Amino acid sequence: MEDKITSIVTDDRIDEIFHLNATKEELIIILNYIIMDYKKFSMTDKILLQSQKLQKLTIEECIENRYVFLFLPGVKNSMEIKQQKEVRYTYEPKEGKILKEKYRNGRKTESTEVTYEQINKMLGSFNQSTGAFLQSKPNFAESRFIAPLLPQEEVSKREKVQVKGGQMQFVQQPRKNKPAFKNYTAEEVSKHNKPGDVWTVLNGKVYDISLYLDYHPGGVEKLMLGAGKDCTKLFNQFHSWVNGHAFLEQDYIGNLKY
């Protein structure tokens, strides 16, 4: 492909796909990878892609455009392209791999390489679990099962409280009476919403976070906001850069049944 860039734009984020050294099929894979990230972050399947002329675009048509504006339910997109975004991702194809870099307020914070095979596996896994769930629940994002978001000023404070121990101590604690690994319904998860028995859902995965109540730096009250609920949007409001699954892997007890 030619030396061209396609940018996926929202008010606070821009994803730039470099065309050089990539086929059209590979560019579409990268674009689907970006869209999957938005779906996971916002827990919605309702995404609209438009051109600068406000024309609705298919995935294939997006690749032919310099700027593509991504719209999410209830989220404003002013279609501003001149102002620097808080978060910027770049995707540069290189010999069967993609160099993915993240910038926050102009400063590079991450640099990783991912193969097309890895992306296809992630897309397949997402479509079979979280993606399928979102498609089957059109009003899911507005349901009572979603943990509430907090005012931005409270997020900015990021107040910490005294806890039982550090994060390493939490990871080293033995897990007792761990529930059987299986698929759980939202109704089943919602029953586990009291101190000592707290389950939550993050990106379609179910976690028993009862033990973490004593170790959460933000305190029990904040953690209980996601008790018996899907905490994905709340988690990303505070910890969008954190790999929650890696941290809570020992407490992963199943997947959300759709």
Side-chain angles (χ1 to χ4, degrees), residues 45-61:
D45 194 51
K46 299 180 183 301
I47 284 180
L48 175 64
L49 301 167
Q50 287 189 344
S51 69
Q52 283 182 286
K53 296 181 179 179
L54 298 180
Q55 296 172 322
K56 184 177 179 181
L57 300 173
T58 65
I59 296 293
E60 290 76 12
E61 290 170 338

Side-chain angles (χ1 to χ4, degrees), residues 129 181-185 189 204-206 252-257:
S129 56
F181 188 92
K182 67 171 192 174
N183 292 334
Y184 295 94
T185 64
V189 173
K205 292 180 169 62
V206 182
Y252 175 36
I253 59 173
N255 298 310
L256 194 62
K257 185 188 296 184

